[in-house]
Amino acid sequence: MLSRVANCLYWMSRHTERAENIARLVDTNLQLLLDFRNLDEERIAEQWLPIVQTTGDEEAFFKLHAKATAESVTEFLLFQPDNPNSLVQSICQARENARMVRDQITIELWEELNRLYLFVTSPDARRVWRQSPSDFFEQIKASSLQMIGITYATLLHNQGWQFTQIGKFLERADKTTRILDLRHRTLPERGMPKSISQAESLEWSAVLRSCSAWDAFKSIHGAEVHPRLVTEFLIFNEDFPRSVRFCAGELNTALRHISGVPEGRFVNDAEKLAGRLLAELQFSTVDELFSMGLHRYLDGLQLKLNCIGDALFTSYFFLSFAGFDEEQFVQQEEQQQQRRAVHGRPSPAPPQRPRGPGS
């Protein structure tokens, strides 16, 4: 398969997943605010600023907006053209990557992605958003889920499909850690909280709803919401499709389908790092996590996921062409961009240009 095709399929899937997660995050926070009473301006900022911080785009946000309000944060996360990780820009980039490999995807997938693109870039999107934010987010989430189903049901399950799975599960694992990190300020730096207030319980419930985990969580733990149970479920549950452990398992499986290398061995750094992460998640406990501190643990987890993305880029997408100076420059620039993402922890930004022929 051409590295250009693999790259586009990977980013098409990753951007679609990113847009859906942004929709879930903002929708849940809006609903959470309805449960609070007598919120002043300072308290409202306390609810919105962590969402910007957890995306890693805080610096970019304050270049465009003076302070974090409901209007400025939702504009930045949903529609801002200058924010490459906004919902609309994510869908635009997913559609652009799909367009470059139009012959590699099915007409059903292209039509659904194109339909979503036409909706979010039309004046009708802002009208729906102003009239009913809930309806706006429902359209985004429903379309994203439909594309996941179409991808599974209509695409050949070959190497290209495996790259779509890698993009989806790498982005999903990253977003789950960022959503979970939203409430770390309510916890002690190290150790388990002894009790939580009713308001904190609502906030942890919102974390579950942001990951579409509320119903699955209740089926195991009932209505008891505690940071320990929520963290254990979203990080270590092996059956929930948005837990980090589940995503790491699917990521590891997809990488091995591509190379044909069995478990216990590896042929590139992406497989080595993914296998190591999966083993750590399989043999770690939530008590060990809290003894380290939730924020510190999640910070390390995001770095490991970014390193896997960096290794994937080096192993499959980055190719050196002797004599093609401009092409080399662009590829090296893109690699540096990913490395900056590793150290700065913003959501990894995508390359925009197709690469030359590869493996």
Side-chain angles (χ1 to χ4, degrees):
M1 147 166 283
L2 297 177
S3 61
R4 174 183 64 83
V5 173
N7 190 29
C8 289
L9 291 171
Y10 168 79
W11 281 110
M12 175 193 73
S13 178
R14 189 156 188 175
H15 279 301
T16 305
E17 184 70 24
R18 184 172 298 177
E20 182 193 340
N21 278 280
I22 293 171
R24 291 178 187 282
L25 190 59
V26 178
D27 186 26
T28 304
N29 205 55
L30 282 171
Q31 294 184 31
L32 176 64
L33 291 177
L34 297 177
D35 293 328
F36 293 135
R37 296 179 180 177
N38 303 323
L39 286 179
D40 54 24
E41 191 172 339
E42 184 179 352
R43 283 279 290 154
I44 290 175
E46 287 176 0
Q47 294 297 322
W48 284 107
L49 185 56
I51 293 182
V52 177
Q53 291 170 332
T54 201
T55 63
D57 294 324
E58 186 179 4
E59 184 179 344
F61 173 80
F62 282 111
K63 286 181 180 177
L64 298 167
H65 301 280
K67 59 181 180 179
T69 63
E71 291 76 15
S72 62
V73 173
T74 54
E75 175 67 20
F76 180 76
L77 293 177
L78 300 181
F79 298 104
Q80 194 91 58
D82 298 326
N83 176 15
N85 295 316
S86 71
L87 185 148
V88 171
Q89 289 303 308
S90 294
I91 292 172
C92 289
Q93 292 177 70
R95 192 253 192 191
E96 178 61 16
N97 278 281
R99 189 189 62 78
M100 289 193 286
V101 290
R102 177 66 188 81
D103 59 332
Q104 299 291 320
I105 61 175
T106 59
I107 190 169
E108 291 89 347
L109 179 57
W110 169 251
E111 286 182 348
E112 182 57 30
L113 182 53
N114 203 40
R115 188 198 64 76
L116 181 60
Y117 164 79
L118 292 174
F119 167 67
V120 298
T121 55
S122 71
D124 196 41
R126 281 191 181 272
R127 182 186 60 77
V128 175
W129 160 248
R130 285 192 297 269
Q131 292 180 351
S132 174
S134 178
D135 288 348
F136 175 81
F137 293 126
E138 281 304 315
Q139 287 203 43
I140 304 297
K141 289 186 283 187
S143 184
S144 175
L145 292 174
Q146 193 166 346
M147 280 189 279
I148 291 173
I150 290 172
T151 302
Y152 185 85
T154 65
L155 258 63
L156 289 172
H157 286 210
N158 55 13
Q159 284 189 339
W161 189 77
Q162 299 297 346
F163 278 106
T164 67
Q165 298 305 291
I166 292 171
K168 177 175 70 177
F169 286 109
L170 197 56
E171 180 69 22
R172 186 177 292 180
D174 178 77
K175 281 293 179 288
T176 296
T177 63
R178 291 172 188 271
I179 292 171
L180 189 55
D181 205 21
L182 274 172
R183 303 301 170 199
H184 77 270
R185 287 181 176 79
T186 64
L187 301 174
E189 188 174 346
R190 293 172 185 267
M192 200 81 66
K194 294 180 179 177
S195 62
I196 60 174
S197 65
Q198 186 177 5
E200 289 171 340
S201 178
L202 284 172
E203 291 174 353
W204 283 97
S205 300
V207 168
L208 288 168
R209 289 192 173 91
S210 293
C211 297
S212 292
W214 178 243
D215 290 326
F217 178 86
K218 276 200 308 180
S219 69
I220 296 175
H221 298 292
E224 182 187 3
V225 177
H226 189 276
R228 183 186 193 282
L229 298 177
V230 174
T231 301
E232 184 175 36
F233 186 79
L234 292 180
I235 297 292
F236 297 116
N237 190 283
E238 59 183 315
D239 299 319
F240 180 59
R242 291 184 178 276
S243 76
V244 179
R245 178 176 172 180
F246 184 94
C247 294
E250 295 297 311
L251 171 64
N252 185 56
T253 300
L255 285 169
R256 295 185 182 285
H257 271 296
I258 292 170
S259 66
V261 174
E263 290 284 348
R265 298 185 179 185
F266 61 87
V267 293
N268 56 53
D269 284 346
E271 289 177 5
K272 180 181 74 175
L273 295 171
R276 181 185 297 169
L277 175 62
L278 179 60
E280 288 174 3
L281 292 166
Q282 287 172 331
F283 296 105
S284 298
T285 67
V286 71
D287 293 323
E288 293 170 346
L289 184 158
F290 275 100
S291 67
M292 180 187 295
L294 179 62
H295 180 63
R296 184 180 174 191
Y297 180 86
L298 293 175
D299 210 30
L301 205 50
Q302 288 162 16
L303 283 172
K304 290 171 185 174
L305 291 168
N306 283 345
C307 285
I308 293 173
D310 196 32
L312 183 77
F313 179 79
T314 304
S315 301
Y316 290 108
F317 306 149
F318 179 83
L319 293 171
S320 177
F321 295 98
F324 286 74
D325 293 340
E326 183 184 354
E327 191 71 18
Q328 277 188 312
F329 173 77
V330 173
Q331 290 188 353
Q332 288 166 359
E333 191 178 56
E334 291 168 356
Q335 190 181 32
Q336 287 298 321
Q337 192 177 22
Q338 287 214 0
R339 285 175 177 164
R340 285 195 295 272
V342 170
H343 298 296
R345 292 202 310 117
S347 298
Q352 292 298 308
R353 293 182 53 183
R355 303 280 71 80
S359 57

Short mmCIF file of all heavy atoms in Angstrom, two decimals, residues 261-303:
data_model
loop_
_atom_site.label_atom_id
_atom_site.label_comp_id
_atom_site.label_asym_id
_atom_site.label_seq_id
_atom_site.Cartn_x
_atom_site.Cartn_y
_atom_site.Cartn_z
N VAL A 261 3.38 -9.61 12.32
CA VAL A 261 4.25 -10.05 13.41
C VAL A 261 3.40 -10.49 14.61
O VAL A 261 2.48 -9.77 15.00
CB VAL A 261 5.19 -8.90 13.84
CG1 VAL A 261 6.00 -9.30 15.07
CG2 VAL A 261 6.11 -8.54 12.69
N PRO A 262 3.68 -11.69 15.18
CA PRO A 262 2.85 -12.17 16.30
C PRO A 262 3.14 -11.42 17.59
O PRO A 262 4.10 -10.67 17.71
CB PRO A 262 3.27 -13.64 16.42
CG PRO A 262 4.66 -13.67 15.90
CD PRO A 262 4.73 -12.64 14.81
N GLU A 263 2.25 -11.65 18.58
CA GLU A 263 2.43 -11.05 19.90
C GLU A 263 3.78 -11.48 20.50
O GLU A 263 4.24 -12.60 20.28
CB GLU A 263 1.31 -11.51 20.85
CG GLU A 263 -0.06 -10.94 20.53
CD GLU A 263 -0.19 -9.49 20.97
OE1 GLU A 263 0.68 -9.02 21.71
OE2 GLU A 263 -1.16 -8.84 20.55
N GLY A 264 4.38 -10.58 21.25
CA GLY A 264 5.66 -10.90 21.88
C GLY A 264 6.86 -10.49 21.04
O GLY A 264 7.99 -10.55 21.51
N ARG A 265 6.62 -10.11 19.78
CA ARG A 265 7.72 -9.67 18.92
C ARG A 265 7.33 -8.34 18.28
O ARG A 265 6.16 -7.97 18.27
CB ARG A 265 8.03 -10.70 17.84
CG ARG A 265 8.49 -12.04 18.42
CD ARG A 265 8.89 -13.00 17.32
NE ARG A 265 9.36 -14.26 17.88
CZ ARG A 265 9.87 -15.25 17.15
NH1 ARG A 265 9.94 -15.11 15.84
NH2 ARG A 265 10.29 -16.36 17.74
N PHE A 266 8.31 -7.67 17.70
CA PHE A 266 8.00 -6.41 17.01
C PHE A 266 9.03 -6.17 15.92
O PHE A 266 10.16 -6.67 15.98
CB PHE A 266 7.95 -5.24 17.98
CG PHE A 266 9.26 -4.98 18.70
CD1 PHE A 266 10.23 -4.16 18.13
CD2 PHE A 266 9.51 -5.55 19.94
CE1 PHE A 266 11.43 -3.92 18.78
CE2 PHE A 266 10.72 -5.31 20.60
CZ PHE A 266 11.68 -4.50 20.02
N VAL A 267 8.61 -5.41 14.90
CA VAL A 267 9.53 -5.06 13.80
C VAL A 267 9.72 -3.56 13.68
O VAL A 267 10.51 -3.11 12.85
CB VAL A 267 9.02 -5.62 12.46
CG1 VAL A 267 9.06 -7.13 12.45
CG2 VAL A 267 7.63 -5.09 12.13
N ASN A 268 8.97 -2.77 14.46
CA ASN A 268 9.18 -1.32 14.43
C ASN A 268 8.79 -0.75 15.80
O ASN A 268 8.21 -1.44 16.65
CB ASN A 268 8.38 -0.67 13.30
CG ASN A 268 6.89 -0.98 13.38
OD1 ASN A 268 6.26 -0.78 14.42
ND2 ASN A 268 6.33 -1.47 12.28
N ASP A 269 9.14 0.51 16.01
CA ASP A 269 8.92 1.14 17.31
C ASP A 269 7.44 1.28 17.65
O ASP A 269 7.05 1.26 18.82
CB ASP A 269 9.58 2.52 17.35
CG ASP A 269 11.09 2.41 17.52
OD1 ASP A 269 11.57 1.31 17.87
OD2 ASP A 269 11.78 3.41 17.28
N ALA A 270 6.59 1.46 16.61
CA ALA A 270 5.16 1.59 16.88
C ALA A 270 4.61 0.34 17.54
O ALA A 270 3.85 0.41 18.52
CB ALA A 270 4.41 1.89 15.57
N GLU A 271 5.01 -0.83 17.04
CA GLU A 271 4.55 -2.09 17.64
C GLU A 271 5.13 -2.27 19.03
O GLU A 271 4.44 -2.73 19.95
CB GLU A 271 4.95 -3.26 16.74
CG GLU A 271 4.16 -3.32 15.45
CD GLU A 271 4.63 -4.45 14.55
OE1 GLU A 271 5.51 -5.23 14.97
OE2 GLU A 271 4.15 -4.53 13.42
N LYS A 272 6.40 -1.92 19.20
CA LYS A 272 7.04 -2.08 20.51
C LYS A 272 6.34 -1.20 21.56
O LYS A 272 5.99 -1.67 22.65
CB LYS A 272 8.51 -1.70 20.41
CG LYS A 272 9.27 -1.83 21.73
CD LYS A 272 10.72 -1.42 21.59
CE LYS A 272 10.87 0.08 21.47
NZ LYS A 272 12.28 0.52 21.46
N LEU A 273 6.08 0.06 21.20
CA LEU A 273 5.47 0.99 22.16
C LEU A 273 4.02 0.63 22.45
O LEU A 273 3.54 0.74 23.59
CB LEU A 273 5.56 2.42 21.63
CG LEU A 273 6.99 2.99 21.49
CD1 LEU A 273 6.97 4.32 20.75
CD2 LEU A 273 7.63 3.14 22.86
N ALA A 274 3.29 0.20 21.40
CA ALA A 274 1.89 -0.18 21.60
C ALA A 274 1.79 -1.43 22.47
O ALA A 274 0.94 -1.51 23.37
CB ALA A 274 1.20 -0.41 20.26
N GLY A 275 2.66 -2.41 22.23
CA GLY A 275 2.66 -3.63 23.04
C GLY A 275 3.03 -3.35 24.48
O GLY A 275 2.44 -3.91 25.42
N ARG A 276 3.99 -2.44 24.68
CA ARG A 276 4.40 -2.09 26.05
C ARG A 276 3.27 -1.38 26.79
O ARG A 276 3.00 -1.66 27.96
CB ARG A 276 5.63 -1.19 25.98
CG ARG A 276 6.18 -0.79 27.35
CD ARG A 276 7.32 0.20 27.19
NE ARG A 276 8.45 -0.38 26.50
CZ ARG A 276 9.49 0.31 26.04
NH1 ARG A 276 9.52 1.62 26.21
NH2 ARG A 276 10.49 -0.30 25.43
N LEU A 277 2.60 -0.46 26.09
CA LEU A 277 1.49 0.26 26.73
C LEU A 277 0.37 -0.69 27.12
O LEU A 277 -0.20 -0.60 28.22
CB LEU A 277 0.95 1.33 25.77
CG LEU A 277 -0.30 2.08 26.24
CD1 LEU A 277 -0.02 2.85 27.53
CD2 LEU A 277 -0.80 3.04 25.16
N LEU A 278 0.04 -1.62 26.22
CA LEU A 278 -1.02 -2.58 26.52
C LEU A 278 -0.65 -3.42 27.75
O LEU A 278 -1.49 -3.66 28.63
CB LEU A 278 -1.27 -3.47 25.31
CG LEU A 278 -2.35 -4.54 25.49
CD1 LEU A 278 -3.70 -3.91 25.81
CD2 LEU A 278 -2.46 -5.40 24.22
N ALA A 279 0.60 -3.88 27.82
CA ALA A 279 1.03 -4.69 28.96
C ALA A 279 0.95 -3.89 30.26
O ALA A 279 0.52 -4.41 31.30
CB ALA A 279 2.46 -5.18 28.73
N GLU A 280 1.34 -2.63 30.22
CA GLU A 280 1.27 -1.78 31.42
C GLU A 280 -0.18 -1.64 31.89
O GLU A 280 -0.46 -1.69 33.09
CB GLU A 280 1.85 -0.40 31.12
CG GLU A 280 3.37 -0.40 30.97
CD GLU A 280 3.90 0.97 30.54
OE1 GLU A 280 3.09 1.91 30.41
OE2 GLU A 280 5.10 1.07 30.32
N LEU A 281 -1.10 -1.45 30.94
CA LEU A 281 -2.51 -1.30 31.30
C LEU A 281 -3.10 -2.60 31.83
O LEU A 281 -3.97 -2.60 32.71
CB LEU A 281 -3.31 -0.80 30.09
CG LEU A 281 -2.99 0.63 29.65
CD1 LEU A 281 -3.56 0.90 28.26
CD2 LEU A 281 -3.54 1.64 30.65
N GLN A 282 -2.63 -3.71 31.28
CA GLN A 282 -3.15 -5.00 31.72
C GLN A 282 -2.72 -5.35 33.14
O GLN A 282 -3.45 -6.01 33.88
CB GLN A 282 -2.69 -6.10 30.75
CG GLN A 282 -3.41 -6.07 29.41
CD GLN A 282 -2.80 -7.04 28.41
OE1 GLN A 282 -1.60 -7.34 28.46
NE2 GLN A 282 -3.61 -7.51 27.47
N PHE A 283 -1.54 -4.90 33.54
CA PHE A 283 -0.99 -5.32 34.83
C PHE A 283 -0.89 -4.19 35.84
O PHE A 283 -0.24 -4.34 36.87
CB PHE A 283 0.38 -5.97 34.61
CG PHE A 283 0.30 -7.23 33.79
CD1 PHE A 283 0.71 -7.23 32.47
CD2 PHE A 283 -0.22 -8.39 34.33
CE1 PHE A 283 0.62 -8.38 31.70
CE2 PHE A 283 -0.31 -9.56 33.57
CZ PHE A 283 0.10 -9.55 32.25
N SER A 284 -1.51 -3.05 35.56
CA SER A 284 -1.54 -1.94 36.53
C SER A 284 -2.87 -1.94 37.26
O SER A 284 -3.85 -2.54 36.81
CB SER A 284 -1.34 -0.60 35.82
OG SER A 284 -0.09 -0.54 35.19
N THR A 285 -2.92 -1.24 38.39
CA THR A 285 -4.16 -1.14 39.16
C THR A 285 -4.49 0.33 39.40
O THR A 285 -3.61 1.20 39.31
CB THR A 285 -4.02 -1.84 40.53
OG1 THR A 285 -3.07 -1.11 41.32
CG2 THR A 285 -3.56 -3.28 40.37
N VAL A 286 -5.75 0.58 39.71
CA VAL A 286 -6.18 1.94 39.95
C VAL A 286 -5.54 2.51 41.22
O VAL A 286 -5.31 3.72 41.33
CB VAL A 286 -7.72 2.01 40.00
CG1 VAL A 286 -8.25 1.35 41.28
CG2 VAL A 286 -8.21 3.44 39.89
N ASP A 287 -5.22 1.64 42.20
CA ASP A 287 -4.55 2.11 43.42
C ASP A 287 -3.14 2.63 43.10
O ASP A 287 -2.70 3.65 43.65
CB ASP A 287 -4.48 0.98 44.45
CG ASP A 287 -5.87 0.60 44.95
OD1 ASP A 287 -6.70 1.51 45.12
OD2 ASP A 287 -6.11 -0.60 45.18
N GLU A 288 -2.44 1.94 42.22
CA GLU A 288 -1.10 2.40 41.80
C GLU A 288 -1.22 3.73 41.08
O GLU A 288 -0.38 4.61 41.22
CB GLU A 288 -0.46 1.35 40.89
CG GLU A 288 -0.11 0.05 41.60
CD GLU A 288 0.30 -1.04 40.62
OE1 GLU A 288 0.06 -0.88 39.41
OE2 GLU A 288 0.84 -2.05 41.08
N LEU A 289 -2.28 3.85 40.27
CA LEU A 289 -2.51 5.09 39.52
C LEU A 289 -2.67 6.28 40.47
O LEU A 289 -2.04 7.31 40.32
CB LEU A 289 -3.74 4.91 38.63
CG LEU A 289 -4.15 6.01 37.67
CD1 LEU A 289 -5.00 5.42 36.54
CD2 LEU A 289 -4.96 7.10 38.37
N PHE A 290 -3.55 6.11 41.47
CA PHE A 290 -3.81 7.24 42.38
C PHE A 290 -2.62 7.51 43.30
O PHE A 290 -2.44 8.63 43.76
CB PHE A 290 -5.08 6.98 43.20
CG PHE A 290 -6.33 7.40 42.48
CD1 PHE A 290 -7.12 6.48 41.83
CD2 PHE A 290 -6.70 8.74 42.44
CE1 PHE A 290 -8.27 6.86 41.15
CE2 PHE A 290 -7.84 9.14 41.75
CZ PHE A 290 -8.63 8.21 41.10
N SER A 291 -1.82 6.49 43.60
CA SER A 291 -0.63 6.74 44.42
C SER A 291 0.37 7.62 43.66
O SER A 291 1.14 8.37 44.27
CB SER A 291 0.03 5.42 44.83
OG SER A 291 0.55 4.76 43.69
N MET A 292 0.37 7.52 42.34
CA MET A 292 1.21 8.39 41.52
C MET A 292 0.60 9.76 41.36
O MET A 292 1.29 10.77 41.23
CB MET A 292 1.40 7.74 40.13
CG MET A 292 2.27 8.55 39.18
SD MET A 292 2.29 7.86 37.51
CE MET A 292 3.09 6.32 37.80
N GLY A 293 -0.75 9.83 41.39
CA GLY A 293 -1.47 11.07 41.13
C GLY A 293 -2.13 10.98 39.77
O GLY A 293 -1.46 10.64 38.77
N LEU A 294 -3.44 11.27 39.72
CA LEU A 294 -4.19 11.09 38.47
C LEU A 294 -3.62 11.95 37.34
O LEU A 294 -3.41 11.47 36.23
CB LEU A 294 -5.67 11.42 38.70
CG LEU A 294 -6.56 11.29 37.46
CD1 LEU A 294 -6.58 9.85 36.94
CD2 LEU A 294 -7.99 11.76 37.76
N HIS A 295 -3.40 13.23 37.61
CA HIS A 295 -2.94 14.12 36.55
C HIS A 295 -1.57 13.69 36.01
O HIS A 295 -1.34 13.66 34.80
CB HIS A 295 -2.86 15.55 37.07
CG HIS A 295 -2.39 16.54 36.06
ND1 HIS A 295 -3.08 16.81 34.89
CD2 HIS A 295 -1.27 17.31 36.01
CE1 HIS A 295 -2.42 17.71 34.19
NE2 HIS A 295 -1.33 18.02 34.84
N ARG A 296 -0.67 13.32 36.92
CA ARG A 296 0.66 12.90 36.49
C ARG A 296 0.58 11.61 35.66
O ARG A 296 1.27 11.47 34.65
CB ARG A 296 1.53 12.67 37.74
CG ARG A 296 2.97 12.32 37.41
CD ARG A 296 3.77 12.11 38.69
NE ARG A 296 5.11 11.64 38.40
CZ ARG A 296 5.94 11.17 39.32
NH1 ARG A 296 5.58 11.13 40.58
NH2 ARG A 296 7.14 10.75 38.98
N TYR A 297 -0.29 10.69 36.09
CA TYR A 297 -0.42 9.43 35.35
C TYR A 297 -0.99 9.69 33.94
O TYR A 297 -0.48 9.16 32.95
CB TYR A 297 -1.36 8.48 36.11
CG TYR A 297 -1.56 7.16 35.41
CD1 TYR A 297 -0.67 6.11 35.60
CD2 TYR A 297 -2.64 6.97 34.54
CE1 TYR A 297 -0.85 4.90 34.94
CE2 TYR A 297 -2.82 5.76 33.87
CZ TYR A 297 -1.92 4.74 34.08
OH TYR A 297 -2.10 3.54 33.41
N LEU A 298 -2.03 10.53 33.86
CA LEU A 298 -2.64 10.81 32.55
C LEU A 298 -1.68 11.57 31.65
O LEU A 298 -1.67 11.36 30.43
CB LEU A 298 -3.94 11.60 32.74
CG LEU A 298 -5.07 10.84 33.44
CD1 LEU A 298 -6.26 11.77 33.68
CD2 LEU A 298 -5.51 9.62 32.63
N ASP A 299 -0.88 12.43 32.26
CA ASP A 299 0.13 13.17 31.48
C ASP A 299 1.09 12.18 30.82
O ASP A 299 1.41 12.30 29.62
CB ASP A 299 0.88 14.11 32.43
CG ASP A 299 1.36 15.36 31.72
OD1 ASP A 299 0.69 15.77 30.77
OD2 ASP A 299 2.40 15.90 32.13
N GLY A 300 1.55 11.21 31.60
CA GLY A 300 2.45 10.20 31.05
C GLY A 300 1.78 9.35 29.99
O GLY A 300 2.39 8.98 28.98
N LEU A 301 0.50 9.05 30.21
CA LEU A 301 -0.24 8.23 29.25
C LEU A 301 -0.38 8.96 27.91
O LEU A 301 -0.22 8.35 26.84
CB LEU A 301 -1.62 7.93 29.84
CG LEU A 301 -2.36 6.67 29.35
CD1 LEU A 301 -1.46 5.45 29.40
CD2 LEU A 301 -3.60 6.47 30.20
N GLN A 302 -0.65 10.27 27.96
CA GLN A 302 -0.77 11.04 26.71
C GLN A 302 0.57 11.11 25.98
O GLN A 302 0.61 11.04 24.75
CB GLN A 302 -1.28 12.45 27.03
CG GLN A 302 -2.74 12.47 27.45
CD GLN A 302 -3.13 13.74 28.17
OE1 GLN A 302 -2.42 14.72 28.12
NE2 GLN A 302 -4.26 13.70 28.85
N LEU A 303 1.66 11.20 26.72
CA LEU A 303 2.98 11.20 26.09
C LEU A 303 3.24 9.88 25.37
O LEU A 303 3.78 9.85 24.26
CB LEU A 303 4.06 11.46 27.14
CG LEU A 303 4.21 12.91 27.62
CD1 LEU A 303 5.18 12.98 28.79
CD2 LEU A 303 4.72 13.79 26.49
#
